[in-house]
Structures are given as C-alpha cells and as structure tokens.
C-alpha cells in the first residue's frame, strides 16, 4: 500500500536499513561473546547470534532505532534460553551415557594449572607478573562464563552493554531490585575469583 | 567493596571484555559478518504487518489460511452450514407436530375429565401452557 510506505518514510524515528545494519555491526561481536559465555560452544554461539539477528531484522524492522538495543537483548536472551531448553531435552537421552564417559574429560579446568613458570628468578613474583595479557583476558572471560546465568546477564547488560537499571530490568524481565542484587553479587563473585587467581586489575 | 568500588571494578572488567572482543579470531569475525549479511537480507519493510501482535496474525492465519486458497473447501463448508440449519428447522417443525399429536392422543384415549368438554373455558384450558 503506497500510503503506508509514505507514512513510514516520513516517520524518521523508525529504524532504517542502514541504522539496523550499523546497529548489528556494532553489537554482533559482543553478542557472540555473550552467547559464548552462556553456551560455551563456538558453533552454538554463532547460531544463536545469527538467529537473534535474523529475528530482529525480519520482525522488528519497523521499531524505532532507539528500541533496538533492548529488543535485541531480549531476543538474544530468549534464543539462548531456547538453546538451553533444547539441550535439556537432548540431555534427557544422552546424560545417562555421557556422564559416565565425559565426566573426567570435561572436569574443572584451572588456568593456573597450565601456566608455565618462565624462569627461576620470576618464581617468587606474584602470579600476575607471569600472566600474559591474553591469558588475563581469557581468565576474565572464563570467570564471567562461570557466573550464574542471571548474575552474568545482569552484569553484562548493566556494565558491558551500559544499560541503566530499568532497561536491564526490562531486558531481563525482572524487577529493578533483582537487577541490582544480581549485579552486586556478580561483581563480588568476579572480584573474589580474580583475587584467588592473584589477578589485580 | 562499596558501590563506587563495585562500579569501578565492573568498568575495568568491561574494558577488558571489550579488548578481547576487539581481538576476536578472524574466522569467527568473518562468520559473524556472513550471519549479519544473511540477517539483513531478510530485512522486512512491512510495517502494517508488524503492528499486529505476532500471535494474532499467526492464529488467524492458521485458521483462515487453509480455506482461503481452496474454493472447494469453502463451498463444502457453506453446504455443511446449510444442511445443519435445514436439519434444525426440520427438528423444530417436528416438535410442534408432536405437541398436537399428544393433545389428540389425550382426547382420543379419554384421559380428559368429562366436565372439560362442558366447560366454557375448555378452549383456554387446552391452550394453557
């Protein structure tokens, strides 16, 4: 209908193709990391991000561009939750076997166990000196991934996606109070983990 | 850790996460770019559709879609409706008939009190509800 298209082009606050493209380009990597923290599988994380981007592009292209971040976060989290649900159904069949086989192979992995001491003289220095930057980054990512799901979501939305408390609450579908609690717990948990590993920021 | 310290710590973590995100492996970055291109290829410029809640379009669509494309099916549905209304009308007509038949039966089997026939108000007695 031509009239509708006319209205649409007049309503400049709606997200245009370019705005959507720019938005996706800006968030895709963070979204991938976020999915990675949640599912810890490269392929699954890529699939999740692709699904989320597809849904946003297909169904919500008519929404104002200011709403895109919140919408995208909601879609992304729902997609991650769908993945969990499917995994749960699948694991109902596979757990009895895989728990016997893979338990030891996929056990807890501490990055400090794999660190090598480069020379004797540095042996007494605190661990951070021995840690390379990339290893610190990897350790932090791992610690974030280990957080309970809701705490991680709250932490990422509030501090990484830089949403305010009410936006994060909307994206997570919970109260503002819960967001604050989750954030605070996540921050304390991260601080404690890094302290244990001897990493100071 | 007070709130200010929490905030500072969280910002430091966020900065580090940003750093590692910037250094994402090239193959993954390429796959993400591909995924974005595919998603944008599905960009849909149909605002009229999207204003309706998704479940409503889906539900209505699911109910009406099978019939909208098949003329035969809709003709069949119409015929079925006609048959049903005809049957209901016939049922009602039969019910009226059976009321009269019951009255006749009572008259013929002498179940009426004899005075009823002498009563001037017999007619109204017969028509009582």
């Amino acid at each position: 209908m031509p009239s509708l298209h006319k209205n649409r082009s007049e309503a400049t606050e709606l997200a245009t193709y370019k705005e959507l493209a720019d938005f996706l380009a800006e968030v895709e990597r963070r979204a991938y990391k976020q999915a990675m923290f949640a599912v810890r599988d490269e392929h699954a994380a890529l699939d999740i991000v692709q699904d989320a981007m597809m849904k946003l592009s297909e169904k919500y292209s008519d929404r104002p561009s200011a709403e895109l971040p919140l919408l995208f976060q909601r879609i992304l989290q729902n997609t991650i939750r769908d993945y969990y649900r499917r995994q749960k159904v699948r694991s109902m069949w596979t757990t009895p076997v895989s728990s016997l086989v893979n338990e030891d192979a996929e056990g807890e992995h501490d990055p400090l166990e794999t660190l090598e001491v480069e020379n004797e003289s540095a042996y007494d220095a605190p661990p951070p000196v021995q840690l390379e930057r990339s290893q610190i980054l990897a350790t932090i990512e791992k610690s974030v991934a280990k957080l309970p799901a809701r705490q991680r979501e709250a932490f990422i939305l509030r501090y990484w996606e830089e949403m305010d408390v009410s936006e994060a609450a909307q994206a997570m579908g919970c109260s503002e109070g819960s967001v604050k609690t989750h954030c605070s717990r996540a921050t304390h948990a991260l601080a404690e983990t890094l302290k244990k590993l001897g990493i100071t920021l | 850790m007070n709130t200010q310290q929490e905030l500072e710590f969280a910002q430091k973590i966020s900065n580090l996460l940003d750093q590692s995100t910037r250094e994402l492996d090239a193959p993954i970055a390429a796959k993400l770019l591909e995924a974005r291109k595919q998603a944008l290829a599905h960009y849909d410029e149909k605002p009229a559709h999207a204003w309706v809640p998704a479940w409503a379009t889906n539900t209505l669509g699911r109910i009406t879609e099978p019939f909208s494309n098949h003329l035969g099916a809709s003709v069949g549905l119409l015929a079925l409706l006609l048959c049903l209304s005809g049957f209901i009308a016939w049922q009602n007509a039969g019910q009226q008939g059976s009321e009269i038949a019951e009255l006749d039966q009572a008259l013929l089997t002498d179940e009426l009190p004899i005075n009823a026939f002498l009563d001037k108000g017999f007619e109204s007695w017969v028509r009582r509800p």
Side-chain angles (χ1 to χ4, degrees), chain A residues 48-69:
Chain A
I48 285 169
V49 175
Q50 175 157 15
D51 278 0
M53 292 202 290
M54 195 78 92
K55 275 181 208 157
L56 186 76
S57 171
E58 260 179 2
K59 295 184 179 156
Y60 298 97
S61 53
D62 62 313
R63 304 301 272 273
S65 51
E67 281 182 20
L68 290 181

Side-chain angles (χ1 to χ4, degrees), chain A residues 33-40 84 106-113 137-153 155-156 185-194 196-197, chain B residues 13 17:
Chain A
K33 285 281 181 185
Q34 208 179 327
M36 235 351 228
F37 294 148
V39 303
R40 301 177 204 192
Y84 280 149
E106 289 184 0
E108 293 280 294
H109 175 254
D110 186 344
L112 287 179
E113 283 174 8
L137 292 184
T139 311
I140 285 171
E141 289 199 343
K142 207 163 182 178
S143 315
V144 172
K146 273 186 184 167
L147 288 174
R150 295 299 271 174
Q151 286 185 22
R152 187 178 55 242
E153 275 174 23
F155 185 87
I156 287 177
R185 284 189 189 154
T187 313
H188 280 100
L190 281 175
E192 200 166 314
T193 311
L194 296 186
K196 266 187 202 163
L197 298 175
Chain B
I13 296 265
L17 289 177

Side-chain angles (χ1 to χ4, degrees), chain A residues 8 50 57 61 133 141 160, chain B residues 18-20 23 38-39 44:
Chain A
R8 185 185 155 70
Q50 175 157 15
S57 171
S61 53
R133 191 175 143 278
E141 289 199 343
W160 204 21
Chain B
D18 273 336
Q19 281 181 30
S20 83
E23 294 161 15
Q38 279 189 29
D44 192 6

Side-chain angles (χ1 to χ4, degrees), chain B residues 44-128:
Chain B
D44 192 6
E45 244 188 289
K46 278 185 277 179
H49 264 258
W51 289 118
V52 184
W55 63 268
T57 37
N58 282 347
T59 321
L60 279 178
R62 238 177 283 140
I63 295 167
T64 52
E65 198 181 19
F67 300 109
S68 59
N69 295 331
H70 304 302
L71 189 66
S74 44
V75 168
L77 198 69
L78 199 68
L80 187 69
L81 281 173
L82 276 174
C83 284
L84 270 175
S85 53
F87 180 70
I88 290 164
W90 176 72
Q91 279 274 303
N92 285 340
Q95 213 169 359
Q96 277 171 7
S98 72
E99 272 170 25
I100 294 166
E102 271 172 36
L103 205 60
D104 283 346
Q105 201 182 13
L107 287 167
L108 289 168
T109 53
D110 274 353
E111 278 172 11
L112 285 173
I114 193 69
N115 286 336
F117 294 101
L118 302 171
D119 198 334
K120 281 178 186 169
F122 178 59
E123 286 257 327
S124 58
W125 180 83
V126 167
R127 285 194 195 126
R128 76 193 167 135

Side-chain angles (χ1 to χ4, degrees), chain A residues 3-103:
Chain A
S3 62
L4 279 174
H5 280 289
K6 196 168 169 249
N7 285 342
R8 185 185 155 70
S9 59
E10 278 170 3
T12 47
E13 77 273 15
L14 296 186
T16 60
Y17 179 86
K18 193 184 175 300
E19 280 170 333
L20 184 71
D22 289 348
F23 170 75
L24 290 180
E26 193 207 320
V27 296
E28 66 183 9
R29 289 177 174 218
R30 290 205 302 273
Y32 168 77
K33 285 281 181 185
Q34 208 179 327
M36 235 351 228
F37 294 148
V39 303
R40 301 177 204 192
D41 179 90
E42 203 175 280
H43 291 289
L46 276 169
D47 283 348
I48 285 169
V49 175
Q50 175 157 15
D51 278 0
M53 292 202 290
M54 195 78 92
K55 275 181 208 157
L56 186 76
S57 171
E58 260 179 2
K59 295 184 179 156
Y60 298 97
S61 53
D62 62 313
R63 304 301 272 273
S65 51
E67 281 182 20
L68 290 181
L70 194 57
L71 267 173
F72 184 69
Q73 276 302 325
R74 284 204 84 131
I75 295 171
L76 185 65
Q77 281 173 29
N78 283 337
T79 317
I80 290 172
R81 240 161 259 150
D82 281 350
Y83 174 84
Y84 280 149
R85 247 174 250 141
R86 283 200 300 274
Q87 283 296 103
K88 210 175 170 186
V89 173
R90 203 171 300 155
S91 66
M92 275 172 66
W93 304 100
T94 55
T95 319
V97 181
S98 62
S99 64
L100 294 171
V101 181
N102 289 335
E103 190 87 335

